[in-house]
């Protein structure tokens, strides 16, 4: 062949570069959509054909689960498995085994399962057939919720491809919680919950929502959440991330920086006590203790200096609020909401003994047929057995470990602080699992798995990605 022919030969087509692990799953904007649906739409608005589990966020989360499974099986996602993948897989397996065990052995209801505080429910005779049908229906709704939450966690772990993506998810989560906090602050001062005006075509309310309740003549706020307890827990567990963003802003400029970083943290912190929730205040104390112990000495000093004047200012601007919160703890030994929780143990443990190892199925302990159980860990012991309880504790332990790993080994101070903030949020969420039925509330259940997914994503990025250059304005 002549030199001219060689020179005239067309060039070979370029071979596309092999995508790096996770690059085929551009999930960050879908996660942003999910957080918006989760936090801004009241949990009572659902697809009527599905029922209480048919929230838009849950349906999108199920799509995430299917998408993630197809991407993994199709080889589009080659990122190595993390400890969080394993912990989530074990929990899902325990949920499926519990359901199978319940279907095989059926469900019973002891005659002494009720308590005085359950008078809001109408106690009617129930046949075995009706109890079985309602339990199966509850289990199916539970599978939808847990499948959705697992899908979100897995998509966060594998779909957050870069530090910029991770920052974006954190920013959106903090910003949306600031919006929820603003609605709550308005509700506290006016008694009007703006969430009750939200309507979405195709969705129907499961019951009347947006109604303000009170404690010691104070409005207890709920905003777009189902209950003031949920409102307080959601904001409390996001507060460490809001403080993280305040200390490590992404944008330069004095005014813009204040609006986008300090204001969300201030709104969230102000709204938390307005729920007048014992569970939320305990979670707040837990989160702040973890942060305080992990902060440098100068930041600890600033917290100690600023705390007293802030308390005095709140006492003046919000009369009666701090005193009411203090009475929640000083009168806790005689508070019916506390004694009802302690009365749960003896009666409900008899149900646990019927299915001690595998449990009876998630979401089958229906309050209308049994009793209100304000303890998610105890609920999981009954519904998922001892194996399920261990699996539940294991996902929290795994998330906390992964966040602390980033706290110890992060390449930059910002990443180490993000690990600290996530560990504070995860531990605070775990504490609330002892004080209310977190999985019975759509937002706290979903937020739990979002936080765990963020811990998994942080761990994966720390181990696989090189440090990014510092952004301007630091």
């Amino acid at each position: 062949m002549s030199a001219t022919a060689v020179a005239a030969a067309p060039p070979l087509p370029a071979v596309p570069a092999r995508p790096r692990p996770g690059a085929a799953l551009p999930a960050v904007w879908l996660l942003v959509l999910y957080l918006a649906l989760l936090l801004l739409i009241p949990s009572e608005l659902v697809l009527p054909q599905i029922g209480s589990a048919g929230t838009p966020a849950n349906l999108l989360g199920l799509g995430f689960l299917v998408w993630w499974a197809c991407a993994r099986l199709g080889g589009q996602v080659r990122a190595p498995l993390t400890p969080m993948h394993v912990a989530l897989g074990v929990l899902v397996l325990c949920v499926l085994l519990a359901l199978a065990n319940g279907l095989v052995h059926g469900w019973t209801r002891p005659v002494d399962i009720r308590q005085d505080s359950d008078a809001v429910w109408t106690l009617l005779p129930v046949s075995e057939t009706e109890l079985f049908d309602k339990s199966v229906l509850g289990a199916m709704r539970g599978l939808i919720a847990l499948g959705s939450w697992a899908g979100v966690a897995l998509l966060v772990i594998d779909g957050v491809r870069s530090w910029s993506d991770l920052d974006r998810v954190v920013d959106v989560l903090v910003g949306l919680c600031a919006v929820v906090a603003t609605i709550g602050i308005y509700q506290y001062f006016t008694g009007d919950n703006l969430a009750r005006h939200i309507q979405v075509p195709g969705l129907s309310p499961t019951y009347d929502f947006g109604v303000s309740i009170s404690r010691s003549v104070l409005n207890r706020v709920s905003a777009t959440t189902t209950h003031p307890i949920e409102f307080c827990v959601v904001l409390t567990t996001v507060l460490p991330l809001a403080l993280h963003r305040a200390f490590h802003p992404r944008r330069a400029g004095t005014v813009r920086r204040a609006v986008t970083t300090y204001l969300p943290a201030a709104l969230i912190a102000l709204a938390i006590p307005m729920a007048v929730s014992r569970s939320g205040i305990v979670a707040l104390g837990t989160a702040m203790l973890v942060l305080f112990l992990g902060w440098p000495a100068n930041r600890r000093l600033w917290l100690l200096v600023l705390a007293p004047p802030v308390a005095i200012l709140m006492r003046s601007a919000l009369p009666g609020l701090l005193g009411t919160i203090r009475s929640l703890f000083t009168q806790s030994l005689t508070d019916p909401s506390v004694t009802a929780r302690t009365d749960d143990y003896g009666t409900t443990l008899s149900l646990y003994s019927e299915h001690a190892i595998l449990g009876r199925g998630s979401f089958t302990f229906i309050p209308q047929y049994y009793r209100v159980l304000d303890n998610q860990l105890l609920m999981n012991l009954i519904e998922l057995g001892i194996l399920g309880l261990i699996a539940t504790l294991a996902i929290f332990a795994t998330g906390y470990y992964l966040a602390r790993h980033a706290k110890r080994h992060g390449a930059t101070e910002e990443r180490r602080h993000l690990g600290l903030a996530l560990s504070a949020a995860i531990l605070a969420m775990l504490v609330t699992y002892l004080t209310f039925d977190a999985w019975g509330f759509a937002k706290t259940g979903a937020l739990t798995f979002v936080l765990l997914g963020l811990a998994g994503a942080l761990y994966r990025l720390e181990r696989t990605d090189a440090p990014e250059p510092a952004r301007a304005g630091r």
Side-chain angles (χ1 to χ4, degrees):
M1 183 179 294
S2 67
T4 304
V6 173
L12 294 175
V15 178
R18 181 180 180 181
R20 64 185 179 87
L25 198 62
V28 64
W29 293 112
L30 283 176
L31 291 172
V32 167
L33 174 61
Y34 175 85
L35 292 174
L37 295 176
L38 174 69
L39 293 170
L40 299 184
I41 296 181
S43 303
E44 295 85 354
L45 291 178
V46 301
L47 198 66
Q49 294 83 353
I50 298 178
S52 59
T55 64
N58 274 353
L59 299 179
L60 184 58
L62 282 179
F64 290 168
L65 181 62
V66 174
W67 185 22
W68 177 88
C70 293
R72 273 284 178 181
L73 294 175
Q76 293 178 301
V77 178
R78 303 181 182 90
L81 295 179
T82 68
M84 185 55 70
H85 287 97
V86 178
L88 287 170
V90 171
L91 178 62
V92 170
L93 178 61
C94 289
V95 169
L96 295 176
L97 289 175
L99 174 59
N101 188 57
L103 291 173
V104 170
H105 295 97
W107 293 273
T108 60
R109 185 182 72 162
V111 294
D112 60 344
I113 195 66
R114 311 297 294 186
Q115 58 183 353
D116 293 340
S117 58
D118 289 336
V120 293
W121 306 115
T122 302
L123 182 58
L124 297 174
V126 56
S127 65
E128 277 190 32
T129 301
E130 180 183 352
L131 183 62
F132 183 88
D133 292 341
K134 294 295 185 181
S135 298
V136 171
L137 184 59
M140 294 301 104
R141 289 173 177 168
L143 284 181
I144 293 174
L146 288 167
S148 170
W149 301 340
V152 171
L154 292 169
L155 200 65
V156 173
I157 297 171
D158 288 332
V160 173
R161 303 171 295 168
S162 66
W163 292 105
S164 297
D165 283 353
L166 184 60
D167 284 338
R168 185 172 291 110
V169 173
V170 171
D171 287 350
V172 169
L173 178 59
V174 170
L176 291 173
C177 282
V179 173
V180 174
T182 302
I183 296 174
I185 294 170
Y186 176 83
Q187 181 184 358
Y188 181 83
F189 287 108
T190 66
D192 178 30
N193 187 354
L194 296 177
R196 67 187 180 88
H197 303 293
I198 297 176
Q199 297 182 0
V200 180
L203 302 183
S204 301
T206 52
Y207 52 87
D208 291 338
F209 65 94
V211 179
S212 296
I213 60 177
S214 62
R215 174 176 273 168
S216 300
V217 306
L218 297 175
N219 290 323
R220 299 185 66 192
V221 302
S222 56
T224 59
T225 66
T226 303
H227 192 274
I229 296 178
E230 185 182 31
F231 174 87
C232 195
V233 169
V234 167
L235 296 190
T236 297
T237 51
V238 173
L239 179 62
L241 297 177
L243 293 174
H244 166 75
R245 184 51 66 221
F247 295 144
H248 301 90
R250 300 182 64 197
R251 298 176 175 87
T254 304
V255 176
R256 189 177 182 187
R257 173 175 171 175
V259 171
T260 58
T261 59
Y262 297 112
L263 183 59
L267 290 171
I268 291 171
L270 176 62
I272 285 173
M274 293 180 176
V276 197
S277 165
R278 186 186 293 105
S279 298
I281 298 303
V282 171
L284 176 63
T286 302
M288 293 308 299
L289 178 61
V290 174
L291 292 174
F292 183 82
L293 294 177
W295 279 343
N298 61 335
R299 195 169 288 165
R300 296 182 192 178
L301 180 60
W302 273 110
L303 178 63
L304 294 176
V305 169
L306 292 176
V310 168
I312 293 172
L313 181 62
M314 288 189 63
R315 189 179 181 90
S316 302
L318 305 171
L321 180 57
L322 296 185
T324 301
I325 293 175
R326 184 177 65 249
S327 68
L328 293 178
F329 297 91
T330 58
Q331 302 175 12
S332 59
L333 295 179
T334 57
D335 192 325
S337 66
V338 175
T339 57
R341 285 170 167 83
T342 58
D343 291 342
D344 288 334
Y345 302 131
T347 304
T348 55
L349 285 179
S350 63
L351 276 177
Y352 156 72
S353 62
E354 295 181 4
H355 306 283
I357 305 300
L358 298 180
R360 48 185 279 130
S362 61
F363 288 71
T364 60
F365 192 88
I366 305 171
Q368 292 91 329
Y369 292 98
Y370 295 93
R371 66 195 295 162
V372 176
L373 195 57
D374 290 315
N375 186 323
Q376 188 59 52
L377 294 183
L378 183 58
M379 181 83 80
N380 282 14
L381 179 64
I382 295 170
E383 293 185 338
L384 304 180
I386 188 63
L387 293 182
L389 176 61
I390 293 174
T392 303
L393 295 174
I395 62 170
F396 279 101
T398 302
Y400 184 82
Y401 166 77
L402 298 182
R404 298 301 293 190
H405 182 276
K407 166 66 174 66
R408 293 190 300 269
H409 303 291
T412 65
E413 196 280 330
E414 179 182 357
R415 296 178 188 178
R416 291 191 292 272
H417 190 268
L418 179 56
L420 174 66
L422 270 175
S423 67
I426 290 171
L427 189 60
M429 183 66 82
L430 174 60
V431 169
T432 67
Y433 274 50
L434 290 167
T435 58
F436 88 122
D437 50 327
W439 285 5
F441 296 85
K443 289 178 173 51
T444 49
L447 183 59
T448 297
F449 287 81
V450 170
L451 295 174
L452 295 173
L454 288 173
L458 179 61
Y459 174 81
R460 181 177 59 79
L461 289 174
E462 278 293 346
R463 291 175 63 89
T464 59
D465 284 8
E468 292 182 351
R471 289 184 289 266
R474 289 286 169 83

